Amino acid sequence: MITIREVAPDDADALALWTDQQRELAERYGEPDLVLETTFPTLIVSLVGYSDDEPVASAVLRWSPYHEAGAVELKRLYVKPEHRGHGHSRAIMGVAESHARRAGATRIVLETGDQQPEALALYERIGYDRITNYGEWKDEEGTFCYGRAIPTRVLIVNGTIGAGKTAVASGVLDALEDRGARAAFLDADALCQTVPDDPSDPYHQGLMFAAIDRIAPLYRHRGYGCVVVARVVEDADDRARWAKAFGDDVGAPEVVVARVTAPLEERRARIDAREPEGRWRDWAHARTIELDDSLDGLALDDVVVENAGRSARETAEELLAEIGW
């Protein structure tokens, strides 16, 4: 059992483990002049695993300089020889993969060689596939490269009119940007703004999903692994529709529905601030009550967060903490 900690890029324990790894690789491959890379300009996270406070394992995750946007590379995966056989490599890889998902990555890649049979067996056992060789060793005989796709993570920010779902969703994007994640924001309501109304498609839901089905693969192709959507979820089948739109041959996406709420008087004040007097304001005042009651009854949300008396960004930060993003 090990405890895995995130450490600084120049952490002494990490550097010592990397040096041990380099020494072992030099012996295995008969190349004593291997140069130890100790800086990673596109670093996402450096990890060290401890057993009884002894540093025994390491891993580094960085944005890949060799692949498409959204690809991350696993480096410096190492476990001290006397601590092998206890699942430490798999454990630290699991933590690295969690960081990759959190960063909005769409794929994780790595490079190894034929003199590391334990590593080859591990990667194949946990679902990594052989990919085209890359990097400085791509033309070297005995090089093996592996990769694994990371399904898209989709966050639907739900809420009645005036609850602040669009503002909070935008705040989520800002928070993800600040941590260096690759993320996209969709105001799905904007895809429904058409006239005249279509009686056969209430709230233009069918039109919206038809558009999303075509848009979603573009975000994946551009390497955005986290997608934040502002949209009411008033149909029990909507979660499956969002999963279908953002799903592809890499597996089902993670879809989280998070509802934001606010007191009626605050919702009314927000409506008044953005809607001119007239039928649209009157409609919104009536609809916010009706929709709020409907969402309460449906209870389709994974989490519910109050969005009142503070900034949308503060609500966004709480929401991200609640869903574990």
Side-chain angles (χ1 to χ4, degrees):
M1 189 72 179
I2 59 173
T3 300
I4 300 168
R5 303 172 190 162
E6 182 176 347
V7 300
D10 60 350
D11 179 76
D13 289 341
L15 291 172
L17 288 164
W18 301 351
T19 300
D20 289 346
Q21 180 192 40
Q22 201 74 351
R23 187 180 300 114
E24 181 177 329
L25 291 177
E27 293 173 357
R28 290 196 183 202
Y29 289 94
E31 297 184 28
D33 296 328
L34 288 174
V35 177
L36 176 63
E37 183 181 10
T38 60
T39 59
F40 300 94
T42 56
L43 178 73
I44 296 173
V45 68
S46 180
L47 301 169
V48 171
Y50 292 85
S51 176
D52 295 328
D53 292 326
E54 177 191 356
V56 301
S58 69
V60 166
L61 196 67
R62 69 170 178 179
W63 294 107
S64 173
Y66 309 107
H67 297 87
E68 75 284 355
V72 296
E73 184 182 24
L74 185 73
K75 303 279 288 183
R76 297 283 172 263
L77 179 66
Y78 177 70
V79 176
K80 285 186 174 182
E82 62 271 25
H83 289 272
R84 292 172 188 169
H86 302 288
H88 295 344
S89 291
R90 189 164 189 165
I92 204 165
M93 281 190 72
V95 174
E97 289 175 354
S98 294
H99 279 276
R101 288 191 293 273
R102 191 171 184 267
T106 55
R107 186 161 71 119
I108 186 167
V109 299
L110 57 90
E111 185 179 53
T112 186
D114 59 1
Q115 298 306 304
Q116 296 162 263
E118 313 96 319
L120 297 175
L122 169 68
Y123 302 141
E124 293 180 2
R125 186 167 63 249
I126 64 177
Y128 280 71
D129 298 315
R130 282 288 303 276
I131 62 173
T132 302
N133 285 353
Y134 67 87
E136 58 185 306
W137 309 106
K138 66 178 180 180
D139 296 322
E140 292 287 332
E141 186 176 350
T143 296
F144 288 78
C145 293
Y146 287 83
R148 184 177 190 175
I150 301 173
T152 302
R153 306 176 93 190
V154 183
L155 167 61
I156 313 299
V157 182
N158 185 23
T160 190
I161 296 173
K165 57 185 176 294
T166 302
V168 171
S170 181
V172 168
L173 183 71
D174 291 341
L176 294 175
E177 179 185 20
D178 287 348
R179 72 165 69 153
R182 294 189 59 82
F185 165 54
L186 291 174
D187 183 356
D189 287 348
L191 301 175
C192 305
Q193 304 303 311
T194 61
V195 291
D197 287 337
D198 181 354
S200 68
D201 187 11
Y203 305 110
H204 298 154
Q205 185 87 332
L207 174 64
M208 182 202 70
F209 275 116
I212 291 294
D213 285 343
R214 289 161 176 78
I215 292 171
L218 301 178
Y219 288 93
R220 178 84 190 177
H221 180 71
R222 294 292 182 93
Y224 298 107
C226 291
V227 179
V228 185
V229 182
R231 179 62 178 174
V232 172
V233 180
E234 201 180 5
D235 187 325
D237 294 329
D238 278 1
R239 188 188 297 266
R241 294 186 181 109
W242 286 108
K244 177 178 177 295
F246 283 94
D248 50 28
D249 57 1
V250 306
E254 173 191 339
V255 179
V256 177
V257 179
R259 182 180 168 196
V260 293
T261 62
L264 177 58
E265 289 308 311
E266 188 156 347
R267 301 199 313 263
R268 283 174 169 163
R270 292 170 181 170
I271 291 168
D272 290 346
R274 74 188 189 201
E275 295 288 351
E277 289 188 37
R279 71 183 185 95
W280 283 115
R281 180 187 287 187
D282 294 341
W283 176 85
H285 275 297
R287 178 61 174 157
T288 189
I289 298 172
E290 174 192 17
L291 182 55
D292 197 48
D293 289 343
S294 175
L295 296 179
D296 278 343
L298 289 166
L300 301 175
D301 312 289
D302 297 300
V303 298
V304 178
V305 177
E306 179 81 4
N307 179 39
R310 59 180 173 176
S311 70
R313 174 62 184 268
E314 290 172 320
T315 301
E317 295 283 5
E318 180 185 342
L319 190 157
L320 285 169
E322 286 286 335
I323 67 174
W325 276 32

